[in-house]
Amino acid sequence: MSRKLHLNAFLMGVGHHEAAWRHPRTDPLRLTDVRHFQNLAQIAERGRLDSVFFADGLALQGDVRHNALGGLEPLTLLSALAAVTDHVGLIATVSTTYNEPFHVARRFASLDHISGGRAGWNIVTSAGEAEAHNFGIERPAHRDRYERAAEFLEVATRLWDSWEDDAVVGDRDAGIYADIAKIHQVDHAGAHFRVKGPLNIQRPPQGRPLLVQAGSSDDGRDFAARHAEAVFTAQQTLEEGQEFYADIKARAARYGRPPENVVILPGISPILGGTEREALRLEKELEDLIIPAYGVAQLSNILGVDLSGHPLDEPLPHVPVETEGQQSRLKLVTDLARREGLSLRELIARLAGGRGHRVLAGTPEQIADQIQEWFENGAADGFNIMPPVLPSGLEDFVDHVVPELQARGLFRHEYEGRTLRENYGLPRPASRYASGPAGEIAGGNAPENADGTVAVAS
Amino acid sequence: MSRKLHLNAFLMGVGHHEAAWRHPRTDPLRLTDVRHFQNLAQIAERGRLDSVFFADGLALQGDVRHNALGGLEPLTLLSALAAVTDHVGLIATVSTTYNEPFHVARRFASLDHISGGRAGWNIVTSAGEAEAHNFGIERPAHRDRYERAAEFLEVATRLWDSWEDDAVVGDRDAGIYADIAKIHQVDHAGAHFRVKGPLNIQRPPQGRPLLVQAGSSDDGRDFAARHAEAVFTAQQTLEEGQEFYADIKARAARYGRPPENVVILPGISPILGGTEREALRLEKELEDLIIPAYGVAQLSNILGVDLSGHPLDEPLPHVPVETEGQQSRLKLVTDLARREGLSLRELIARLAGGRGHRVLAGTPEQIADQIQEWFENGAADGFNIMPPVLPSGLEDFVDHVVPELQARGLFRHEYEGRTLRENYGLPRPASRYASGPAGEIAGGNAPENADGTVAVAS
């Protein structure tokens, strides 16, 4: 069986292009309309896409005067999408910096049950200052955030494992609901968390939700190689894509993981037309709708410098490299500007389309060529598709690019499995407690001497 | 127009009776099956019930060996129910002790948008020790929990108000998505929380979700009178019900609130039969399925004393009144045992049915009589219906009690409104910022000098 692409639809409001909300093919008032997103998930499923994904932030970031910002909380949204779909995976960003492992483990376990095994978690550490100010703290340092994330994930996986797969018995006659030898306290006590467990929901269908990650800094790559099963990334050139791909796979191997268990998904924003001219016209229409002041403010924010006085048609000024915050994003943007000698206006237009991801305008065949080139040359296991306008950009991709990829033998005609893991070709993890000695259960009515000693093979 | 009852379906796993999972009319393996709960929500909607409600706890509490415990996280579940219903309100318990106001405000705002204005929040302060141990802390004191809850609610309401109703403009031609003079920082700095805001989602359809509360301690009653719009309560006798009803309404009036804006809903668990004999048979069947060891452990937990050596057929021993924890629950149970001179075995059987709520076995007419008596004699504005077995207990109520209540002119034939508030006859709160001077918006790209000074009429 030949290797197949994996495709994730990264859904953002009414489209990834910064000016999408102003384009006649979108309705800017649908940001809180669940039917809009239900329709998108159904389109993705019609196209046999592996999954849909919603990014997230914990503050109103960006200038809402000039852009359609603020929407539904992703996890709450995803269970409403689970109710109207059967196959497509459901991935949401949740921060490890501003949450507690018990809540997050429980909510993803719930979504995984609700969706029949289609939940995925994009793990982020939340770099922004505005987010910190909604939770009463100052922005934590880059490394601290990653340390907390690693411990968070350790606790979360223990909680998902805390009920072995066959813990629920349901024997009415004997009066035995669960075999408590198969439900385990997690008894975690670390630098950031103390959590007794067990989780208060049985093990989810996938064992654990699919773990996704997107940081491209050194800490981010290391975290991805250790923990992530799918990686979203922004790479502009084939060479960059190959470097990133090889690096993550090699790092994973060093951690003793099979490299094929980390699925690398670079982001692309395909601007589609029946002809190349039509695609370029749509691109131009969107570019003409950009509000320069908004783009300057966005870029100032990414780079950590105030560009508001800088002439739009001159090159980007020198930008000092920050030591904290979204390091890899900053480098990506400055590299892009230098490499292509872009003016501030041109850089803004490029970022407006994909915020540092590749924007490809062309026919379905041209887009398929690009996908195939990266897929067959060690730069991608699939792609994170970022439609510039929604729903039409996703419809165009599903109706025109997907059939082209299928005709080339690169993409599935039918879903391979029932769960997100099965469709991504990833194994279902066993509970770490499954082969260990029996533990005692914690809980309000457990006898005081149930000390919950559990031998853990981690 | 005559005063009408309000009815909430309190849904608990496969039924409220402790032994429900062992009864042939239930399937104990459906605790994580979303279709089970979707079916229940649709049955409630068929019966024109105001709302469905899911209680919650943040630990596996009780002995899962002998009871069907552990299920879906309520808020995640509710959006999956929103997707398959149109009218019924959706209420979930969320703790103020183990959450952050920004997350909670955002998730309820999201659910309210997703459901078209049907979200309700049952505010709890989480008394249990097992819950504390899943969040790395010791159990906070009763009064501290209520102080935190009050501040939590203050922040949450500010966040819901932070976007005025008409903040979103969506003017594509002018490039104006939102009128930022109508989006406000909340700039809260208190003993428990510092939150800058605004929320990152526009104001929900109901303005704020319906606020529900259930504590019956003095702190709990005070909290309910100040903040709650619906109150769940466990009252055993008409006199107790009248006392509680009058007390909450009087306290609300003292806080300047119209008493009719606090809807009092005592809990009842109706065990229904076509004849009284049939109802009593079902009650007996459930009683025979009780596992005494489980009941003793549950009761020991409520009372804070170890009853495991106590003879089942003797009265309850003397129980010292705790100063912390679930005070009102303890008093309710000991009062019940004294008043009716119950043995330990009898008390366990009574609690198994409704955990301190009224259990009524009878025909639909008999149940309707009880409902009518309380409703017309100053003890209730409606009821919190706790079916002993699910789905059949809810089906029986909807198919037989509801028509009886409708025939007596006590209950609606059609939903009055579109939102949960409209069906409960409660006003939609205005944003506290709506008539104030224009504020500046916070956010990643707001100029540094946007200091967000906002005059607040609280």
Side-chain angles (χ1 to χ4, degrees):
Chain A
M1 218 184 82
S2 67
R3 180 171 164 253
K4 290 280 190 290
L5 277 165
H6 298 286
L7 296 174
N8 173 73
F10 179 0
L11 303 176
M12 173 86 82
V14 293
H16 274 276
H17 196 284
E18 191 177 288
W21 72 276
R22 300 187 67 195
H23 194 273
R25 292 180 81 178
T26 70
D27 177 352
L29 300 181
R30 303 200 71 183
L31 260 67
T32 53
D33 180 352
V34 70
R35 290 164 304 179
H36 171 60
F37 297 103
Q38 288 176 329
N39 178 42
L40 294 175
Q42 289 169 333
I43 294 167
E45 186 160 287
R46 170 156 63 77
R48 308 290 185 264
L49 268 54
D50 293 70
S51 45
V52 296
F53 160 61
F54 293 88
D56 196 40
L58 298 167
L60 187 65
Q61 284 174 301
D63 182 1
V64 69
R65 178 173 166 83
H66 291 311
N67 201 354
L69 302 171
L72 300 165
E73 190 273 320
L75 262 187
T76 309
L77 171 58
L78 285 182
S79 50
L81 305 192
V84 299
T85 53
D86 295 311
H87 298 284
V88 74
L90 305 164
I91 304 174
T93 290
V94 171
S95 167
T96 54
T97 300
Y98 302 109
N99 280 293
E100 291 285 331
F102 193 90
H103 286 312
V104 173
R106 185 177 180 222
R107 294 184 65 202
F108 275 107
S110 297
L111 177 63
D112 206 48
H113 280 289
I114 287 170
S115 63
R118 296 187 280 140
W121 172 22
N122 179 42
I123 305 159
V124 301
T125 65
S126 305
E129 195 169 19
E131 297 179 289
H133 290 168
N134 286 332
F135 295 88
I137 61 171
E138 293 306 310
R139 182 163 65 166
H142 190 82
R143 183 151 295 252
D144 291 349
R145 288 188 281 112
Y146 274 95
E147 281 174 10
R148 181 181 163 107
E151 188 180 333
F152 194 113
L153 197 58
E154 169 70 17
V155 180
T157 53
R158 282 179 188 275
L159 289 167
W160 289 317
D161 290 352
S162 63
W163 294 53
E164 295 181 34
D165 289 318
D166 53 354
V168 174
V169 175
D171 184 338
R172 295 205 276 217
D173 294 338
I176 306 295
Y177 177 71
D179 178 355
I180 60 167
K182 294 186 173 173
I183 303 178
H184 306 266
Q185 289 180 196
V186 305
D187 284 329
H188 175 88
H192 296 89
F193 306 108
R194 282 190 303 136
V195 179
K196 189 170 183 181
L199 201 57
N200 56 353
I201 177 168
Q202 59 184 274
R203 198 154 197 259
Q206 294 188 107
R208 306 171 188 166
L210 184 75
L211 300 179
V212 185
Q213 207 263 353
S216 293
S217 68
D218 190 60
D219 283 341
R221 288 181 182 212
D222 191 66
F223 190 90
R226 286 175 91 114
H227 305 293
E229 299 170 293
V231 178
F232 296 148
T233 183
Q235 305 296 331
Q236 287 287 333
T237 66
L238 178 63
E239 293 68 32
E240 284 170 6
Q242 288 167 329
E243 183 280 322
F244 181 83
Y245 186 95
D247 182 51
I248 296 291
K249 300 274 180 175
R251 288 181 192 235
R254 284 202 292 278
Y255 286 115
R257 301 180 62 200
E260 66 274 18
N261 285 3
V262 189
V263 175
I264 313 281
L265 304 166
I268 55 169
S269 185
I271 303 186
L272 285 158
T275 60
E276 193 176 341
R277 173 179 290 190
E278 204 180 295
L280 294 172
R281 190 170 60 225
L282 175 57
E283 185 173 41
K284 180 72 168 55
E285 284 170 8
L286 287 164
E287 212 171 294
D288 289 344
L289 293 170
I290 292 173
I291 299 166
Y294 181 86
V296 169
Q298 285 287 101
L299 194 55
S300 300
N301 194 36
I302 292 172
L303 301 180
V305 293
D306 182 5
L307 296 169
S308 54
H310 194 80
L312 284 171
D313 294 308
E314 287 190 12
L316 196 65
H318 174 73
V319 174
V321 175
E322 265 195 335
T323 52
E324 298 299 334
Q326 299 193 318
Q327 297 177 354
S328 45
R329 186 87 180 282
L330 184 150
K331 184 170 180 310
L332 198 147
V333 168
T334 50
D335 284 357
L336 170 66
R338 302 284 167 249
R339 187 175 58 240
E340 306 193 16
L342 302 176
S343 70
L344 181 54
R345 187 192 304 277
E346 287 163 339
L347 182 60
I348 286 169
R350 290 291 290 276
L351 295 176
R355 291 164 305 115
H357 294 81
R358 275 172 95 205
V359 178
L360 301 172
T363 63
E365 293 72 23
Q366 288 174 320
I367 303 295
D369 288 346
Q370 289 288 323
I371 287 176
Q372 184 164 6
E373 185 186 21
W374 283 48
F375 181 60
E376 294 181 343
N377 288 285
D381 295 313
F383 287 85
N384 192 20
I385 307 300
M386 303 164 61
V389 288
L390 288 169
S392 62
L394 183 63
E395 279 172 330
D396 290 345
F397 186 86
V398 158
D399 293 338
H400 303 291
V401 181
V402 165
E404 180 65 27
L405 294 170
Q406 288 169 330
R408 298 184 190 189
L410 297 172
F411 192 59
R412 69 170 67 86
H413 288 269
E414 292 302 333
Y415 285 103
E416 293 86 1
R418 197 183 47 84
T419 70
L420 177 55
R421 286 184 175 280
E422 286 165 2
N423 290 321
Y424 269 109
L426 293 165
R428 182 182 188 280
S431 166
R432 77 186 71 197
Y433 301 107
S435 54
E440 292 287 328
I441 185 177
N445 296 309
E448 284 304 302
N449 59 357
D451 67 2
T453 6
V454 168
V456 174
S458 138
Chain B
M1 217 184 78
S2 68
R3 179 171 164 254
K4 291 281 191 289
L5 277 165
H6 298 286
L7 296 173
N8 173 72
F10 180 178
L11 303 177
M12 173 86 82
V14 294
H16 275 275
H17 196 283
E18 189 177 289
W21 72 277
R22 300 188 67 195
H23 194 274
R25 291 180 82 179
T26 69
D27 177 352
L29 299 181
R30 302 201 70 182
L31 260 68
T32 52
D33 181 352
V34 70
R35 289 163 305 178
H36 171 62
F37 298 102
Q38 288 176 329
N39 178 41
L40 295 174
Q42 289 169 333
I43 294 167
E45 186 161 286
R46 169 155 65 78
R48 308 290 186 263
L49 269 53
D50 294 70
S51 44
V52 296
F53 160 60
F54 294 88
D56 196 41
L58 298 167
L60 187 65
Q61 284 174 301
D63 182 1
V64 68
R65 178 173 165 81
H66 291 310
N67 202 353
L69 303 170
L72 300 165
E73 191 274 320
L75 262 186
T76 309
L77 172 58
L78 285 182
S79 48
L81 305 191
V84 299
T85 54
D86 294 311
H87 298 283
V88 74
L90 305 164
I91 303 174
T93 289
V94 172
S95 167
T96 54
T97 299
Y98 302 108
N99 279 294
E100 292 286 331
F102 193 89
H103 287 311
V104 172
R106 186 178 179 219
R107 294 184 65 201
F108 275 106
S110 297
L111 177 64
D112 206 48
H113 280 289
I114 287 170
S115 63
R118 296 187 280 140
W121 172 22
N122 179 43
I123 305 159
V124 302
T125 64
S126 306
E129 196 170 18
E131 297 179 289
H133 290 168
N134 285 332
F135 295 89
I137 61 171
E138 293 306 310
R139 183 164 64 168
H142 191 83
R143 182 151 297 252
D144 292 348
R145 287 189 281 114
Y146 274 94
E147 281 173 10
R148 181 182 163 107
E151 188 181 332
F152 194 112
L153 198 57
E154 169 71 16
V155 179
T157 53
R158 282 181 189 273
L159 288 168
W160 288 317
D161 290 353
S162 62
W163 294 53
E164 295 182 34
D165 289 319
D166 53 355
V168 174
V169 176
D171 184 338
R172 295 206 275 216
D173 294 339
I176 306 295
Y177 177 71
D179 178 354
I180 61 168
K182 294 185 174 174
I183 303 179
H184 305 266
Q185 289 181 195
V186 306
D187 285 329
H188 175 87
H192 296 90
F193 306 108
R194 284 189 301 136
V195 180
K196 190 169 182 182
L199 200 58
N200 55 353
I201 178 169
Q202 60 184 275
R203 199 155 197 257
Q206 293 188 107
R208 304 171 189 167
L210 185 76
L211 299 179
V212 185
Q213 208 265 352
S216 292
S217 66
D218 190 60
D219 283 339
R221 289 183 183 211
D222 191 66
F223 190 91
R226 286 175 89 115
H227 305 293
E229 299 171 293
V231 177
F232 297 146
T233 183
Q235 305 296 332
Q236 287 288 333
T237 67
L238 179 63
E239 294 67 33
E240 284 170 4
Q242 289 167 328
E243 184 279 323
F244 181 84
Y245 186 95
D247 182 50
I248 296 290
K249 300 275 182 175
R251 288 180 192 235
R254 284 202 293 278
Y255 285 115
R257 301 181 60 199
E260 66 273 19
N261 286 3
V262 189
V263 174
I264 313 282
L265 304 166
I268 54 170
S269 185
I271 302 185
L272 285 158
T275 62
E276 192 176 342
R277 172 178 293 190
E278 204 179 296
L280 294 172
R281 191 171 58 224
L282 175 57
E283 184 173 42
K284 181 70 167 54
E285 284 169 7
L286 286 165
E287 214 171 292
D288 289 345
L289 293 171
I290 292 173
I291 299 166
Y294 182 87
V296 169
Q298 285 287 100
L299 195 56
S300 299
N301 194 35
I302 292 171
L303 301 179
V305 293
D306 181 5
L307 296 169
S308 54
H310 195 78
L312 283 170
D313 294 307
E314 288 190 11
L316 196 65
H318 174 73
V319 174
V321 175
E322 266 196 334
T323 52
E324 298 299 336
Q326 300 194 319
Q327 297 178 352
S328 45
R329 185 85 179 283
L330 184 149
K331 185 171 180 308
L332 197 146
V333 169
T334 50
D335 285 359
L336 170 67
R338 304 281 168 253
R339 187 174 58 240
E340 307 194 15
L342 302 176
S343 69
L344 182 53
R345 188 191 303 278
E346 289 164 339
L347 182 59
I348 285 168
R350 290 291 290 276
L351 294 178
R355 290 164 306 117
H357 295 79
R358 276 173 93 204
V359 178
L360 301 171
T363 63
E365 294 71 25
Q366 289 173 320
I367 304 296
D369 288 348
Q370 290 289 323
I371 286 175
Q372 184 165 7
E373 185 185 23
W374 283 48
F375 180 62
E376 292 182 343
N377 288 283
D381 295 313
F383 287 85
N384 192 20
I385 307 300
M386 302 163 63
V389 287
L390 289 169
S392 62
L394 183 63
E395 279 172 330
D396 290 346
F397 186 86
V398 158
D399 293 339
H400 302 292
V401 182
V402 164
E404 180 64 28
L405 295 170
Q406 288 169 330
R408 297 183 190 188
L410 298 171
F411 192 59
R412 67 170 70 86
H413 287 270
E414 293 301 334
Y415 285 103
E416 294 87 0
R418 198 182 48 84
T419 70
L420 176 56
R421 288 185 174 279
E422 286 166 2
N423 291 322
Y424 268 110
L426 293 165
R428 182 182 189 280
S431 166
R432 78 186 69 199
Y433 300 107
S435 54
E440 293 287 329
I441 185 180
N445 297 309
E448 284 304 302
N449 60 356
D451 67 3
T453 6
V454 168
V456 173
S458 138

